[in-house]
Amino acid sequence: MTHWIEKNIKWIYTMPAVLFVAVMMVFPVGYTLWLSFHEWDMSNITPPLWVALENYKVLFQDELFLDSIWLTFYFTVAAVFIETVLGILLALIMNQHFIGKGLVKTLFLLPMVATPVAVGLVWILIYEPNIGIANTFLQALGIPPQEWLASPDLVMPSLILIDVWEWTPMIALIVLAGLVSLPKDPYEAAIVDGANKFQTFRHITLPLLKPTIYSAVLLRLIDALKTFDIIYATTQGGPGTSSQTLNIYGYVLGFQYFKIGQASALLMIFFAIVLGLSVLFILLRKKAGVSM
């Protein structure tokens, strides 16, 4: 027995992690995939009925599903791009020495530690057309008040602004950690060579920060694609279906219309999209010669 344990010790040590992944990840994905080939309304009386690829066929003929894909990418790309640009700028500012730097870092953590539902409720008040701070600010600038979350044209930019407010600090703190760890020698050589600040940033800071920026963008990309709580807490996909992303539409199909098979098919397509984008991003990172 002792000999067997010594011979297989590497498998024994890794088995808890393998079982955790199997139970917490592989089983839910496998069960969802199985449900996506069935028609079921969550009834205890009627068992799931095998329909093969019918749920997928119905989804790709559904305009609401196609619109939800567009809205998901619109929200994700816009939010992650703005957060990345602002996060890098804020990190560069915070990398300078100034009074109250520690306090600013602490304040930056506040949006991230707040629960998404609480953040959503706060922004509902900010966007409130009659008493909200957003319209008060616009009126002070001489701009007519807006309907924000109640406007089909403004609801997505309004939601993107909430996401930017909440998650830009995370990008900034990750990039700041990368800035602090950069070697000093290249900067000293740049000073000797007479490089200005922009040239130093362009040719030294930015290339050295690439691994950190790639990591931050990948984390935010996956998280932004999955955004549900903020949207559901503020608009529930409305007005109409103007902010109905894939997550929201999956919830509507599953728990409002009880079309579990279609909702499962939607989630499998969404899973494939997230996985595909993650792999694509990693391949682009390797092609750019960046290792993390």
Side-chain angles (χ1 to χ4, degrees):
M1 186 65 180
T2 305
H3 177 70
W4 183 87
I5 293 175
E6 291 177 352
K7 184 179 179 181
N8 297 282
I9 192 67
K10 60 181 180 181
W11 303 113
I12 294 173
Y13 278 133
T14 55
M15 190 53 65
V18 173
L19 290 175
F20 177 82
V21 171
V23 173
M24 301 302 294
M25 298 183 66
V26 176
F27 174 74
V29 173
Y31 184 62
T32 305
L33 178 64
W34 180 80
L35 280 176
S36 71
F37 298 120
H38 293 75
E39 182 181 336
W40 188 41
D41 59 0
M42 296 181 73
S43 169
N44 287 329
I45 301 173
T46 307
L49 175 67
W50 172 262
V51 293
L53 296 174
E54 184 63 24
N55 287 324
Y56 293 92
K57 182 180 176 182
V58 170
L59 278 178
F60 282 108
Q61 294 173 343
D62 184 356
E63 290 187 4
L64 290 178
F65 170 70
L66 300 177
D67 288 343
S68 67
I69 292 178
W70 155 248
L71 290 173
T72 301
F73 278 96
Y74 173 31
F75 176 86
T76 301
V77 173
V80 173
F81 176 77
I82 297 171
E83 288 163 13
T84 303
V85 173
L86 290 180
I88 293 173
L89 290 175
L90 288 172
L92 291 172
I93 293 172
M94 287 196 297
N95 196 39
Q96 307 300 316
H97 296 288
F98 59 88
I99 299 174
K101 184 176 176 179
L103 177 62
V104 172
K105 286 182 182 178
T106 304
L107 292 175
F108 262 43
L109 294 174
L110 294 181
M112 291 186 292
V113 299
T115 59
V117 174
V119 171
L121 294 176
V122 169
W123 277 90
I124 286 176
L125 290 176
I126 292 175
Y127 283 141
E128 211 286 327
N130 297 314
I131 61 172
I133 298 175
N135 275 344
T136 303
F137 180 71
L138 288 185
Q139 288 173 321
L141 297 175
I143 300 174
Q146 304 294 324
E147 294 184 343
W148 302 108
L149 298 174
S151 166
D153 297 326
L154 288 179
V155 64
M156 288 306 293
S158 302
L159 291 171
I160 290 168
L161 179 59
I162 298 174
D163 197 78
V164 168
W165 174 83
E166 186 175 14
W167 294 112
T168 296
M170 189 193 83
I171 300 278
L173 292 176
I174 292 175
V175 176
L176 179 62
L179 280 172
V180 173
S181 64
L182 294 182
K184 304 298 180 188
D185 296 348
Y187 292 96
E188 294 172 356
I191 293 173
V192 172
D193 292 340
N196 58 36
K197 289 187 177 181
F198 178 76
Q199 290 172 327
T200 303
F201 173 76
R202 171 70 179 80
H203 297 290
I204 297 177
T205 305
L206 200 55
L208 291 176
L209 274 180
K210 271 187 178 179
T212 305
I213 295 173
Y214 269 89
S215 300
V217 171
L218 180 59
L219 288 173
R220 273 307 300 146
L221 180 71
I222 296 173
D223 198 40
L225 280 169
K226 299 185 301 180
T227 301
F228 174 84
D229 33 30
I230 286 289
I231 298 175
Y232 193 78
T234 51
T235 67
Q236 298 186 5
T241 57
S242 302
S243 61
Q244 189 168 262
T245 58
L246 278 171
N247 277 317
I248 301 294
Y249 192 41
Y251 177 84
V252 170
L253 284 176
F255 298 106
Q256 291 185 9
Y257 298 153
F258 297 104
K259 297 179 178 179
I260 300 301
Q262 285 186 30
S264 299
L266 182 147
L267 292 178
M268 290 312 302
I269 294 170
F270 192 26
F271 176 75
I273 291 173
V274 174
L275 183 63
L277 284 175
S278 301
V279 172
L280 177 64
F281 196 82
I282 292 172
L283 291 176
L284 289 175
R285 183 202 68 197
K286 288 183 177 178
K287 188 177 180 181
V290 177
S291 61
M292 291 189 289

